Amino acid sequence: MTEMLKGTLEGIVLAILATQPAYGYEITARLRDEGFSTIVEGTVYAILLRIEKHGFVDVEKVPSEKGPPRKVYSINAKGREQLDGFWQTWGFLTERIAKLHTEHTRGED
């Protein structure tokens, strides 16, 4: 499961940020709430660094009651374009996979 998710986690994180700005731990908690229980914070932080490097998010440092300031990530226009592309690709893939699955299950009869 983790291997299959690697290619899609960036899009999933952008989709979460499209709903509201968040910091790393919040994103990890949201992923876990959505059933991605095997996702660890280190994976999320690596994705956040990558999408920040690609310019898909804006980052604001917000004071924290516990320790150093938190980096809060907000999706920007470039990130929304990337997310739109992700959803188009996802739609294409799910249609093809569903077709293959249907053909496979028919072949088992």
Side-chain angles (χ1 to χ4, degrees), residues 14 16 24 30 47 74:
L14 287 172
I16 288 171
R30 173 84 187 272
I47 292 166
S74 303

Side-chain angles (χ1 to χ4, degrees), residues 26-64:
E26 288 176 316
I27 295 167
T28 303
R30 173 84 187 272
L31 286 167
R32 289 180 180 155
D33 288 347
E34 296 293 335
F36 298 99
S37 58
T38 60
I39 302 299
V40 296
E41 279 183 76
T43 301
V44 172
Y45 284 108
I47 292 166
L48 290 170
L49 286 173
R50 192 167 53 247
I51 64 177
E52 180 180 1
K53 180 181 173 186
H54 290 300
F56 300 150
V57 292
D58 296 325
V59 181
E60 180 184 355
K61 289 192 176 186
V62 177
S64 170

Side-chain angles (χ1 to χ4, degrees), residues 69-85:
R70 291 183 176 146
K71 290 173 85 173
V72 175
Y73 298 84
S74 303
I75 193 168
N76 59 26
K78 188 174 178 182
R80 288 190 188 281
E81 285 178 26
Q82 180 71 12
L83 181 57
D84 288 345

